[in-house]
Amino acid sequence: PKAELVDRTPPGNTLTEQGRRLLPTAEEMERLALAGQEKVGGSAALAEGTVRIGAPEGFGSYFLAPRIGTLKARHPHLLIQLVAQTAVFSLSRRDADIAIAVSRPPAGRLIVGKLTDYDLGLYAAPAYLDAHPPIRTPADLSAHLFVSYIGELLHFPELDFLQHVAPGGATSVESSNLLAQLRATLAGAGLCVLPAFLAREEKGLARVLAGEVGLTRSLWLIVHQDLAELARGKAVVSFIKNEVAAASALFRLDAA
């Protein structure tokens, strides 16, 4: 009997229950076919298709996005989809094909490696510092306001920076979005812990307690095993690793 695999509706096509059951088999057939082509014809010409990258909004927007054009120029048949948000990306559910995460994932059919460590510092707008009591030691932070994440919406304990910098600090603005925190800080809403690679791009920020307040966190590169064997996966993974390695100084607070 004939089975309908796709429901065609005005908003777009969606898989039927039969289609969802068949999808893993179809994907495996695609992987095996492309892997066979790659063995016969080489990988350069086969770096094509769609690759969805999931990344934290700061790294995705400030580091990856300006460099995606270079990747596209090298592999014109690739379509890169960049999902820049701090979220838990499920590779098995196809939220992303490649994920950059701030927390190492549990074991699974994944290839996981540390992409880089990155430093964070404490920053504020000069206008905020001029209008508030001077900050000479970490103890002075208790008299100041902070811009930070929303605690109950924070899925990654690695990002709970405020408890490490000023556990008793009061917040003036809380946001689940790092770029919103950045904009609020630039506008003088308070002090904020920001990644060095992001803060150094902004001229309207001043580092606070340099040498006394700093944190280091890690970014993990996660790829599903099936994609890692395909040319498009290899091309994107290699590009991300090489770009991060070439710009390693961006991720350190005190690098020249």
Side-chain angles (χ1 to χ4, degrees):
K2 180 180 179 181
E4 295 291 334
L5 303 180
V6 177
D7 282 329
R8 293 176 172 83
T9 61
N13 297 332
T14 59
L15 290 176
T16 63
E17 179 61 30
Q18 293 93 331
R20 286 191 291 272
R21 289 202 298 266
L22 184 61
L23 181 60
T25 301
E27 290 176 336
E28 179 65 9
M29 291 171 62
E30 178 194 28
R31 185 187 69 79
L32 291 172
L34 290 174
Q37 293 177 29
E38 184 175 340
K39 288 179 180 178
V40 173
S43 62
L46 291 174
E48 59 184 13
T50 300
V51 177
R52 180 177 296 171
I53 305 170
E57 71 266 20
F59 182 82
S61 298
Y62 269 72
F63 187 84
L64 275 185
R67 292 167 170 81
I68 290 298
T70 302
L71 174 61
K72 180 70 176 178
R74 293 179 188 173
H75 302 284
H77 299 295
L78 277 179
L79 171 61
I80 301 299
Q81 296 179 339
L82 178 58
V83 183
Q85 61 185 43
T86 301
V88 178
F89 294 101
S90 171
L91 274 63
S92 62
R93 293 199 308 263
R94 304 301 295 270
D95 294 341
D97 300 307
I98 296 171
I100 291 95
V102 298
S103 180
R104 183 167 188 160
R109 294 191 66 233
L110 305 171
I111 297 175
V112 181
K114 182 184 286 188
L115 182 60
T116 185
D117 289 331
Y118 68 101
D119 293 339
L120 302 105
L122 186 60
Y123 298 88
Y128 172 88
L129 296 175
D130 290 343
H132 292 81
I135 304 173
R136 299 186 180 92
T137 71
D140 295 330
L141 295 176
S142 61
H144 287 265
L145 297 173
F146 291 83
V147 177
S148 71
Y149 284 100
I150 302 170
E152 60 264 32
L153 299 183
L154 191 57
H155 301 296
F156 302 98
E158 293 87 351
L159 300 183
D160 192 2
F161 305 132
L162 192 55
Q163 70 164 332
H164 297 285
V165 173
T171 55
S172 62
V173 175
E174 297 180 354
S175 175
S176 60
N177 184 281
L178 180 63
L179 300 186
Q181 293 179 39
L182 169 65
R183 301 305 300 177
T185 305
L186 287 167
L191 301 158
C192 188
V193 178
L194 294 167
F197 70 83
L198 183 154
R200 68 176 3 113
E201 298 292 323
E202 298 291 340
K203 305 305 181 186
L205 291 174
R207 178 115 179 258
V208 177
L209 294 177
E212 294 189 70
V213 174
L215 300 172
T216 300
R217 296 291 183 267
S218 300
L219 291 174
W220 301 88
L221 181 63
I222 309 162
V223 190
H224 197 281
Q225 287 179 353
D226 291 347
L227 181 70
E229 299 175 9
L230 302 181
R232 64 178 181 268
K234 291 178 180 177
V236 176
V237 167
S238 176
F239 177 81
I240 293 173
K241 287 182 175 179
N242 290 339
E243 289 296 312
V244 169
S248 59
L250 291 178
F251 299 94
R252 314 310 303 191
L253 277 171
D254 301 315

